[in-house]
Amino acid sequence: MNARRIAFLMSSIVVACGDVDGAEAPIEAPIGARPLIDVDPAADRIEVSLVAGPAKWTYLPGKAAADVWAYRDDNDPADLGQIPGPAIVGRVGDHVTVHFRSELPEPTTIHWHGLRVAASHDGSNVSQSPVEPGGAFTYEFTLTDAGTFWFHPHLDGDVQIERGLYAPIIVRGDDEVGADADRLLVLDDVKLESTGALSTTITSLDLMVGRQGNVLLVNGARQPRLDAAVGARERWRLLNTANGTYFNVALPGRSLRVIAWDGGLLPEPYEADSLLIAPGERYELLVDLDGVEGDEIELRTLHYDRGHELPDLGPRTLATFVLGPPPTHPRPDAPARWGTVAPLPDTATRREFVLREEEPADPSAEPRFYINDEAFPLTTPVISNQGDLEIWELRNDAEMDHPFHLHGTFFQVLDAPHLGWKDTVNVPMKSTVRFAVRLDNPGEWMFHCHILEHAERGMMGVLHVLEASP
Ligand code: C2O
Ligand code: CU
Ligand code: CU
């Protein structure tokens, strides 16, 4: 631990609770996140208990509750299961222990999307044996990067995540951006019957492009109305947990100030009129809610053409911010320094990954999806050495976009207008995206399309990073 970090911890402890005996200063959770109860009193240790099981969730007020699968806090008897699930909220350097138990009728795992954990605790298909119904597993890891992450099952993902198993992870660093409010906005969609129940109909289009919901969700609710202070500067953490739906978010009449990507703060924020968020991706915004008291600001998603001639549904409302009385203190200043991201050097080691889809001639058969003409689990692992710097070239030969995700590390997208860390990148149809990556984390890691129907139908592979000998 460096001196700056110690100074930060001490000042935050003093400021947060004037604590004298070294007990934990509560870490503030963003609005919209319900943190898991931490039973470890040590300031830098988090110990939580999590259950996955069948639950009821009311998506449409006034309609019947849907039978879902949800995570719940095992230390909170009042928690009957939440969508999104309860959050892990911690600081860089915290050690996390998650006692996980499954009440699901089928095997599952938990993957910590974006966290640089040890491969044995990554929860992917190749890194652990499944947690069987009634089984348990204790995950342990240290939080290494500040940002917005999430966790979800890595088996039968298109079914388990769609049924409600997903939850946020918020990690705070010592370089937090001043804001009047810090808000989590988890974007998802769900396919419901008119009764309010989850639809069990899976169309061939759902398999081809990822399940298409008919109800958009923000933090598990349809078009929520959210109270905010007029003139407030808010930090919004956006996360797309949908199986296949892309969100192209916009605030009509306002530009968006993007401050962070998957792997944390950018060295330099940038402005955008709309922001495309593919499944698995996270983006953070700094939003000034200028206006007058009583104004309503709509967060919308705009049409984006991701292929296969999906219909243009026009702008759709995600959430409405209702502006109330202003904050009682002056607007916080923008930080003098944002994130520190040193560009990775160029390298000769290049790998190519060709993404391909195969529409079945027989309409009753399922489509297949390939990386380099192989479909998981019948794939040849990619072998690298710990510390290797590589350029990965993702060539999308398909008639639709594919969001490509790599476990266990972050990468830098090349030829991009902005520098920052990503773990998931959209590869538009019929185009190529390149990224640079340093493979520091030894073990077996998965890479795959984050359209869950694609991942489960072949578009997934394994990277084996061989440990450097000491
Ligand atoms: Cu978000 Cu391999 O997963
Ligand atoms: Cu992941
Ligand atoms: Cu895909």
Side-chain angles (χ1 to χ4, degrees):
M1 192 179 290
N2 64 30
R4 202 161 115 251
R5 162 100 182 115
I6 291 168
F8 166 74
L9 277 178
M10 289 175 60
S11 68
S12 64
I13 287 167
V14 170
V15 171
C17 60
D19 187 277
V20 283
D21 60 8
E24 183 167 6
I27 310 165
E28 214 192 311
I31 301 165
R34 290 158 291 193
L36 284 156
I37 295 169
D38 171 11
V39 298
D40 191 324
D44 58 354
R45 301 187 72 84
I46 294 173
E47 185 175 354
V48 296
S49 295
L50 187 72
V51 184
K56 296 270 185 199
W57 189 254
T58 304
Y59 288 110
L60 302 177
K63 302 273 176 128
D67 288 304
V68 298
W69 290 352
Y71 290 119
R72 66 173 202 268
D73 188 339
D74 217 5
N75 290 317
D76 179 0
D79 187 358
L80 303 176
Q82 318 174 12
I83 296 178
I88 292 176
V89 181
R91 296 188 185 90
V92 170
D94 286 358
H95 182 83
V96 182
T97 304
V98 181
H99 303 289
F100 172 61
R101 206 155 65 69
S102 173
E103 293 175 355
L104 298 174
E106 62 175 59
T108 193
T109 61
I110 304 181
H111 167 60
W112 316 93
H113 183 132
L115 298 190
R116 296 190 291 162
V117 306
S120 54
H121 288 254
D122 188 52
S124 77
N125 312 48
V126 294
S127 67
Q128 75 166 111
S129 20
V131 179
E132 297 295 334
F137 189 86
T138 294
Y139 292 92
E140 304 230 25
F141 46 85
T142 298
L143 302 174
T144 56
D145 306 281
T148 306
F149 309 95
W150 60 303
F151 61 91
H152 60 74
H154 222 281
L155 283 180
D156 224 1
D158 57 338
V159 173
Q160 296 194 5
I161 300 175
E162 177 63 20
R163 290 217 180 145
L165 293 170
Y166 60 85
I169 303 170
I170 308 296
V171 185
R172 298 195 181 282
D174 53 6
D175 52 356
E176 290 295 298
V177 172
D180 296 304
D182 187 337
R183 219 184 260 280
L184 175 71
L185 300 166
V186 181
L187 310 180
D188 191 11
D189 66 348
V190 68
K191 193 166 163 184
L192 297 178
E193 306 288 356
S194 54
T195 56
L198 285 181
S199 168
T200 49
T201 316
I202 300 168
T203 65
S204 55
L205 184 69
D206 288 335
L207 296 182
M208 197 62 197
V209 303
R211 180 93 45 106
Q212 296 298 289
N214 51 7
V215 172
L216 301 180
L217 300 173
V218 174
N219 298 340
R222 178 174 180 252
Q223 298 184 344
R225 291 173 64 80
L226 305 168
D227 292 324
V230 66
R233 169 163 289 177
E234 295 204 348
R235 176 182 188 167
W236 291 359
R237 302 166 183 267
L238 298 156
L239 150 62
N240 182 353
T241 64
N243 278 32
T245 293
Y246 282 56
F247 292 93
N248 188 21
V249 300
L251 289 169
R254 294 162 196 257
S255 79
L256 305 173
R257 190 178 201 199
V258 183
I259 62 165
W261 288 352
D262 305 338
L265 289 177
L266 303 173
E268 238 181 296
Y270 63 95
E271 302 275 329
D273 290 334
S274 62
L275 178 66
L276 185 66
I277 310 176
E281 284 190 301
R282 288 88 64 212
Y283 288 89
E284 295 184 26
L285 305 175
L286 210 52
V287 179
D288 292 338
L289 294 173
D290 294 326
V292 294
E293 228 177 292
D295 276 359
E296 299 197 347
I297 298 177
E298 268 195 18
L299 178 67
R300 293 184 178 160
T301 181
L302 310 177
H303 178 66
Y304 166 75
D305 179 13
R306 65 181 187 91
H308 278 288
E309 277 136 28
L310 287 173
D312 180 351
L313 302 173
R316 290 184 293 163
T317 303
L318 289 166
T320 305
F321 293 85
V322 184
L323 302 188
T328 50
H329 45 267
R331 178 175 287 180
D333 291 330
R337 184 180 63 86
W338 297 85
T340 35
V341 182
L344 291 172
D346 202 357
T347 172
T349 312
R350 275 154 213 274
R351 293 183 190 281
E352 193 186 46
F353 298 85
V354 180
L355 313 178
R356 194 169 66 77
E357 71 198 30
E358 204 171 81
E359 225 165 332
D362 168 5
S364 67
E366 295 198 344
R368 297 295 293 169
F369 300 90
Y370 301 89
I371 300 178
N372 290 344
D373 289 320
E374 292 183 328
F376 188 83
L378 302 173
T379 54
T380 319
V382 170
I383 311 281
S384 298
N385 293 304
Q386 188 180 4
D388 278 0
L389 184 65
E390 301 185 356
I391 307 284
W392 285 28
E393 195 166 300
L394 314 171
R395 209 176 82 209
N396 184 354
D397 268 358
E399 302 287 340
M400 74 179 121
D401 294 14
H402 294 283
F404 186 95
H405 170 49
L406 172 61
H407 288 206
T409 187
F410 298 114
F411 51 75
Q412 291 178 1
V413 179
L414 302 172
D415 328 300
H418 310 285
L419 177 67
W421 293 114
K422 297 282 296 162
D423 56 50
T424 307
V425 63
N426 189 45
V427 189
M429 56 187 131
K430 299 286 177 200
S431 67
T432 297
V433 165
R434 301 186 312 138
F435 65 71
V437 63
R438 193 190 299 282
L439 301 168
D440 283 327
N441 212 345
E444 287 189 284
W445 304 100
M446 303 208 70
F447 53 84
H448 57 90
C449 177
H450 221 289
I451 292 176
L452 302 169
E453 283 75 5
H454 298 178
E456 295 295 339
R457 282 163 191 77
M459 203 174 257
M460 193 145 71
V462 179
L463 161 71
H464 194 169
V465 181
L466 302 175
E467 190 159 6
S469 39

